[in-house]
């Protein structure tokens, strides 16, 4: 029978009829459609109107009654085929399909309730565009108004909150899960006389109330109102029903996104300091930028803790992971660090206790079932006890990045510090028996005008950078800011602006708090803490100074000292003021520039070689530690480098004449060849070996 009927009607109309019948069955309505009757060749002979209802529908409402056994209906010919096809032509169907595709795409991209409502208000349905829209939600046993469009600010706004048992169309839809169509004011007044006065004030002539259904549960209702009476044909009802389903899904996603966002914001406010405490003689700026995915919370954090001694603790750390678990571990670890710091422990003791605390969080007692292993996390941390009056920094490091210091002229030096394993990991490999831990302390001095920078690896290694190239990118930010304020009258750097510039160097302008194409560059969380020492004493912008101790037990720090000196001399231009005669021998400007660059490189390499020789001699020929002090003074082009290495031995170096096969004894010979001047000065218990180099002096060319 079905094949016989299918052959009598246009294939598009027959497929459409199936959807209309399914919709009518779901809404308990009579299915009505226009069908084109075709002959054996496919030519349209006439158009008929079909009205169909389920057979046995009057008994189907009883729970014990069987489902309808069939369909029954009537067919009546439409006199004017053109009138009968106004709602079912192929052009209209194509327009409807294009509209639904566009609507689905727009609603899928909306991320908030307001965005969803704006998209819904801008939908232009083919042939019948609503003039007013409203979305209702359910709050317990009450119906609430979520959003409204097209009703202006009239004297009587639609109902904003009513009990669900009220005789109101939207309440009926939520209770029964079926759409309500009111094709005329008379229909509305007849079916809902109590609430008709509220709708009458807005002058609408037709209304459609449809359920918003998500996962089989009715979460609210959508109202579309029209300025003209609308019969709500089956095609129009199908469009409205499809839009309602898409709208329900979009609102559900928006609710979820807004709930996650509210949770994230609350979690961030709870776990990070809302304001920095006032620190005498110091200015503090901090940033936290979450990663681009998930709930935008993670394990990075920073903290500024006033200590009972009058000093200030500066803390920055990173718990493994970028999820809620990492954020929870970070919150507990931050509280533990605050507690240990408030007890007055030294930096090394604070980290040792924090490591035991973190390892204890994943102890066997707290693990889940055997088939669910504990989610063990480790953390890196940098803890600094700062004396704001003296500028001393006592630093303990647990697997974290070294701190860096910005000199007054914008030069950035990474300060190498001694460190131990990340928190929660024992030196013996047993996370649950971490022992006392080993976190040696390094003391540095922050001079007036210098800025200390602490950060997590998200600032350095994001965007495909490794540690070296990442630090190079950060140095460019500091140099650019120094260049913007070049001159002797420039004040201290703007820490807030500097913090923004550092973040933007990784994420691009403002992408750390706005959506946009650059937001995907957020590969890792970023925590950043900047601390500038301000004690009223002006430091010349042209001065650079670094201090480093090399102990007998840590000879590897000789390499760190060499690296420090190279960073200080990154823009050294030795040979730039050679005699004109020497420059005339160069083939051209480009060749001259290359020669100047080679001379500068030779000068830096010579200074590094002499420093390495001086430090090694102290470690080899004495029993004490070596203290390096390097300083650059003067104006660019005529600057002077002075490097001092002091020790506690009174024995002075002796000049020797080593043979060709000798393995030592050439240190003073190198000083004579490479240094502009050098010397040895006794100082109380010990001595100081020093050398100086001028930027405008000639440098030997190494073959």
């Amino acid at each position: 029978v079905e094949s016989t009927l299918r052959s009598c009607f246009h294939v598009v109309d027959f497929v459409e009829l199936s959807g209309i019948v399914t919709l009518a069955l779901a809404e308990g309505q009579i299915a009505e459609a226009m069908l084109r009757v075709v002959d054996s060749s496919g030519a349209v002979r006439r158009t008929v109107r079909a009205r169909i209802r389920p057979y046995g529908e009057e008994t189907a409402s009883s729970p014990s009654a069987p489902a309808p056994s069939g369909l029954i209906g009537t067919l009546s010919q439409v006199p004017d085929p053109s009138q009968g096809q106004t709602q079912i032509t192929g052009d209209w169907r194509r327009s409807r399909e294009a509209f639904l595709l566009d609507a689905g795409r727009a609603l899928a991209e909306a991320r908030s309730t307001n965005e969803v409502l704006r998209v819904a208000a801008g939908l232009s349905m083919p042939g019948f565009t609503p003039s007013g829209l409203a979305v209702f939600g359910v709050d317990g046993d009450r119906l609430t108004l979520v959003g409204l469009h097209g009703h202006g600010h009239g004297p009587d706004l639609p109902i904003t909150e009513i009990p669900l048992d009220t005789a109101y169309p939207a309440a009926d839809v939520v209770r029964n899960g079926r759409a309500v169509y009111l094709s005329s004011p008379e229909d509305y007044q007849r079916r809902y006389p109590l609430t008709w006065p509220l709708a009458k004030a807005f002058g609408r002539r037709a209304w459609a109330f449809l359920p918003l259904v998500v996962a089989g549960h009715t979460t609210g209702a959508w109202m579309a109102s029209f300025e003209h009476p609308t019969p709500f044909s089956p095609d129009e009802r199908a469009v409205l029903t499809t839009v309602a389903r898409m709208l329900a899904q979009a609102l559900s996603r928006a609710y979820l996104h807004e709930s996650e966002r509210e949770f994230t914001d609350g979690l961030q406010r709870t776990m990070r300091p809302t304001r920095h405490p006032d620190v005498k003689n110091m200015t503090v700026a901090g940033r936290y930028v979450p990663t681009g995915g998930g709930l935008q919370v993670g394990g990075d954090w920073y903290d500024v803790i006033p200590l009972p001694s009058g000093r200030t603790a500066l803390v920055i750390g990173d718990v493994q992971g970028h999820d809620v678990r990492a954020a929870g571990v970070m919150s507990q670890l931050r509280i533990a660090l605050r507690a240990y710091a408030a007890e007055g422990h030294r930096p090394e003791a604070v980290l040792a206790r924090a490591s035991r605390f973190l390892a204890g969080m994943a102890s066997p007692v707290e693990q889940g079932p055997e088939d669910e292993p504990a989610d063990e996390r480790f953390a890196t941390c940098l803890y600094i006890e700062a004396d704001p009056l003296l500028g001393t920094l006592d630093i303990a490091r647990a697997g974290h990045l070294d701190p860096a210091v910005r000199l007054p002229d914008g030069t950035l030096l990474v300060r190498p510090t001694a460190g131990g394993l990340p928190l929660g990991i024992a030196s013996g490999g047993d996370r649950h028996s971490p022992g006392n831990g080993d976190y040696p302390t390094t003391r540095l001095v922050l001079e007036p005008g210098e800025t200390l920078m602490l950060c997590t690896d998200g600032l350095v290694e994001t965007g495909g950078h490794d540690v070296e190239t990442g630090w190079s990118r950060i140095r460019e930010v500091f140099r650019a800011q120094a260049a913007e304020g070049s001159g002797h009258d420039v004040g201290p750097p703007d820490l807030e602006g500097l913090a923004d510039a550092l973040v933007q160097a990784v994420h691009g302008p403002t992408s750390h708090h706005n959506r946009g194409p650059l937001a995907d560059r957020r590969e890792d969380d970023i925590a950043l803490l900047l601390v500038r020492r301000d004690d009223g004493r002006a430091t010349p912008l042209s001065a650079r100074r670094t201090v480093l101790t090399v102990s007998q037990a840590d000879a590897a720090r000789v390499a760190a000292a060499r690296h420090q000196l190279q960073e200080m001399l990154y823009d050294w231009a030795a040979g730039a003021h050679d005699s004109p005669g020497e420059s005339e021998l160069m083939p051209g400007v480009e060749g001259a520039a290359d020669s100047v660059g080679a001379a500068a490189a030779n000068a830096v390499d010579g200074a590094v070689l002499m420093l390495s020789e001086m430090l090694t001699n102290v470690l080899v020929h004495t029993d004490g530690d070596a203290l390096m002090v390097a300083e650059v003074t003067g104006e660019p082009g005529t600057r002077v480098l002075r490097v001092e290495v002091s020790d506690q031995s009174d024995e002075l170096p002796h000049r020797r004449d080593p043979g060709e096969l000798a393995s030592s004894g050439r240190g003073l010979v190198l000083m004579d060849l490479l240094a502009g001047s050098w010397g040895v000065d006794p100082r109380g218990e010990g001595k100081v070996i020093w050398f100086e180099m001028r930027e405008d002096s000639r440098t030997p060319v190494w073959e």
Side-chain angles (χ1 to χ4, degrees):
V1 177
E2 181 180 353
S3 60
T4 303
L5 289 174
R6 184 188 297 271
S7 64
C8 295
F9 299 107
H10 195 288
V11 62
V12 174
D13 297 349
F14 192 84
V15 173
E16 187 75 17
L17 179 64
S18 300
I20 294 173
V21 170
T22 301
L23 177 63
L25 288 173
E27 297 180 350
Q29 304 287 338
I30 295 177
E32 183 175 353
M34 299 292 187
L35 302 173
R36 286 169 288 181
V37 180
V38 297
D39 56 21
S40 58
S41 63
V44 177
R45 308 300 299 177
R46 61 180 61 85
T47 301
V48 298
R49 181 189 301 274
R51 294 175 59 86
I52 303 172
R53 66 176 178 83
Y55 179 75
E57 183 180 17
E58 62 276 7
T59 61
S61 60
S62 174
S64 60
S69 58
L71 301 173
I72 188 172
T74 61
L75 295 175
S76 58
Q77 183 174 350
V78 177
D80 185 359
S82 61
Q83 294 179 4
Q85 296 182 40
T86 54
Q87 297 296 328
I88 63 170
T89 60
D91 290 342
W92 191 90
R93 287 194 178 89
R94 285 192 292 271
S95 298
R96 184 190 66 182
E97 292 168 358
F99 159 74
L100 292 176
L101 287 174
D102 291 340
R105 188 161 42 245
L107 289 171
E109 294 174 355
R111 296 177 57 86
S112 67
T113 301
N114 288 334
E115 286 185 48
V116 172
L117 295 177
R118 283 197 299 269
V119 170
L123 296 179
S124 180
M125 301 182 185
F128 67 114
T129 300
S131 57
L133 302 173
V135 174
F136 298 90
V138 179
D139 184 7
D141 60 349
R142 304 187 70 81
L143 186 74
T144 61
L145 181 65
V146 176
L148 188 68
H149 174 76
H151 292 82
H153 301 281
D156 298 312
L157 288 177
I159 297 173
T160 58
E161 184 174 330
I162 61 171
L164 276 176
D165 57 1
T166 304
Y168 183 64
D172 277 355
V173 168
V174 172
R175 289 197 307 269
N176 302 324
R178 291 183 175 181
V180 173
Y181 297 100
L182 304 172
S183 58
S184 65
E186 294 76 18
D187 194 13
Y188 196 126
Q189 185 176 13
R190 176 178 58 81
R191 297 179 60 180
Y192 300 96
L194 293 179
T195 56
W196 163 244
L198 295 174
K200 180 181 179 181
F202 294 94
R204 300 297 191 269
R205 309 294 292 173
W207 301 261
F209 293 83
L210 297 101
L212 299 176
V213 181
V214 178
H217 178 66
T218 302
T219 60
W222 172 48
M223 181 200 74
S225 60
F226 302 84
E227 293 182 345
H228 304 284
T230 303
F232 296 114
S233 68
D235 288 310
E236 293 169 343
R237 294 188 183 189
V239 171
L240 291 170
T241 301
T242 303
V243 172
R245 291 172 180 170
M246 293 189 296
L247 181 60
Q249 296 294 329
L251 288 171
S252 177
R253 290 192 298 269
Y255 292 154
L256 179 61
H257 178 76
E258 291 170 345
S259 298
E260 291 177 348
R261 189 65 184 177
E262 183 178 356
F263 169 76
T264 300
D265 292 343
L267 191 62
Q268 291 180 9
R269 287 192 299 269
T270 301
M271 294 189 300
R272 280 182 295 280
T274 55
R275 60 180 298 272
H276 307 301
D278 294 331
V279 182
K280 186 178 181 180
N281 296 336
M282 287 187 173
T283 303
V284 180
R287 292 290 185 275
Y288 173 73
V289 184
T291 187
L295 294 179
Q296 296 193 359
V297 294
D300 291 23
W301 89 97
Y302 67 88
D303 209 348
V304 181
I305 309 171
L307 300 178
S309 61
R311 298 185 176 188
T312 300
L314 310 172
V315 188
I316 195 163
D318 182 1
V319 175
Q320 174 193 13
H322 310 103
D323 51 13
V324 175
R325 169 65 176 164
V329 172
M330 177 269 286
S331 178
Q332 297 177 73
L333 183 58
R334 174 174 171 263
I335 294 172
L337 280 164
R338 273 186 161 264
Y340 297 141
E343 291 176 353
H345 297 294
R346 293 286 299 160
E348 63 273 18
V350 170
L351 290 191
R353 285 166 167 78
S355 183
R356 291 197 297 271
F357 170 82
L358 183 56
M361 291 178 62
S363 64
V365 176
E366 299 179 4
Q367 290 184 12
E370 294 183 359
D371 58 343
E372 295 181 7
D375 186 9
E376 299 178 347
R377 302 292 178 104
F378 65 85
T380 64
C381 184
L382 190 66
Y383 182 95
I384 300 178
E385 185 176 311
D387 188 328
L389 297 179
L390 301 178
T392 58
L393 306 173
D394 293 331
I395 306 170
R397 185 169 59 88
H400 201 79
L401 292 175
D402 284 312
V405 174
R406 177 196 184 274
L407 303 182
D409 70 343
T411 302
L412 185 70
L413 299 180
V414 179
R415 298 290 194 181
T417 58
L421 294 173
L423 303 180
I425 298 180
S427 57
D430 184 1
R431 290 178 58 96
H432 307 306
S433 301
N436 293 325
D438 184 13
Y439 299 102
T441 301
T442 302
R443 170 166 286 190
L444 300 178
V445 177
L446 192 66
E447 300 291 346
E450 293 183 344
T451 301
L452 175 70
M453 187 187 84
L454 313 178
C455 67
T456 56
D457 55 2
L459 185 69
V460 179
E461 299 181 17
T462 298
H465 288 270
D466 57 19
V467 174
E468 291 298 325
T469 60
W471 278 118
S472 298
R473 174 178 58 187
I474 292 174
R475 287 189 180 95
E476 290 301 322
V477 176
F478 282 91
R479 294 169 189 167
Q481 191 193 58
E484 292 177 0
S486 59
H488 293 284
D489 298 329
V490 177
D494 173 23
L495 289 196
E496 297 296 334
L498 179 58
D500 289 337
L502 288 168
V503 172
Q504 291 177 11
V506 177
H507 290 166
T510 70
S511 68
H512 58 292
H513 55 77
N514 287 339
R515 294 178 59 212
L518 295 178
D520 291 337
R521 295 171 62 182
R522 291 178 287 179
E523 302 169 6
D524 196 1
D525 302 336
I526 291 176
L528 170 67
L529 189 61
L530 299 174
V531 181
R532 185 184 64 224
R533 186 180 176 199
D534 304 315
D535 66 352
R537 290 183 294 166
T539 300
L541 292 178
S542 57
R544 300 177 188 172
R545 189 170 186 268
T546 184
V547 180
L548 185 68
T549 300
V550 180
S551 66
Q552 288 283 337
D554 191 11
R557 285 175 66 81
V558 174
R562 294 197 298 261
H563 191 62
Q564 286 276 289
L565 188 58
Q566 286 177 324
E567 290 181 346
M568 285 188 65
L569 302 178
Y570 74 92
D571 60 348
W572 194 260
H577 300 274
D578 284 340
S579 63
E582 184 175 344
S583 299
E584 291 172 358
L585 298 177
M586 301 178 184
V589 175
E590 182 177 355
D594 291 341
S595 298
V596 170
N602 287 341
V604 174
D605 290 342
V608 171
L609 178 60
M610 288 187 287
L611 172 63
S612 181
E613 185 71 23
M614 294 160 64
L615 291 173
T616 303
N617 283 338
V618 172
L619 298 182
V620 172
H621 299 295
T622 72
D623 296 329
D625 300 338
L627 176 65
M628 178 201 76
V629 178
E631 188 173 31
V632 176
T633 57
E635 296 297 324
T638 59
R639 290 174 292 189
V640 176
L641 166 68
R642 181 180 178 89
V643 179
E644 299 178 352
V645 174
S646 59
D647 60 71
Q648 296 182 351
S649 173
D650 294 328
E651 183 179 356
L652 300 179
H654 302 285
R655 183 184 297 274
R656 290 185 289 172
D657 188 12
E660 294 183 359
L661 301 179
S663 59
S664 62
R666 296 184 176 85
L668 299 185
V669 177
L670 289 175
M671 303 283 281
D672 282 336
L673 290 175
L674 301 177
S677 59
W678 68 276
V680 181
D681 298 335
R683 289 189 180 177
E685 293 185 0
K687 62 181 179 297
V688 174
I689 306 176
W690 59 270
F691 72 84
E692 289 185 352
M693 294 176 57
R694 293 186 59 87
E695 190 176 16
D696 55 358
S697 63
R698 295 188 180 184
T699 304
V701 178
W702 298 0
E703 297 296 340

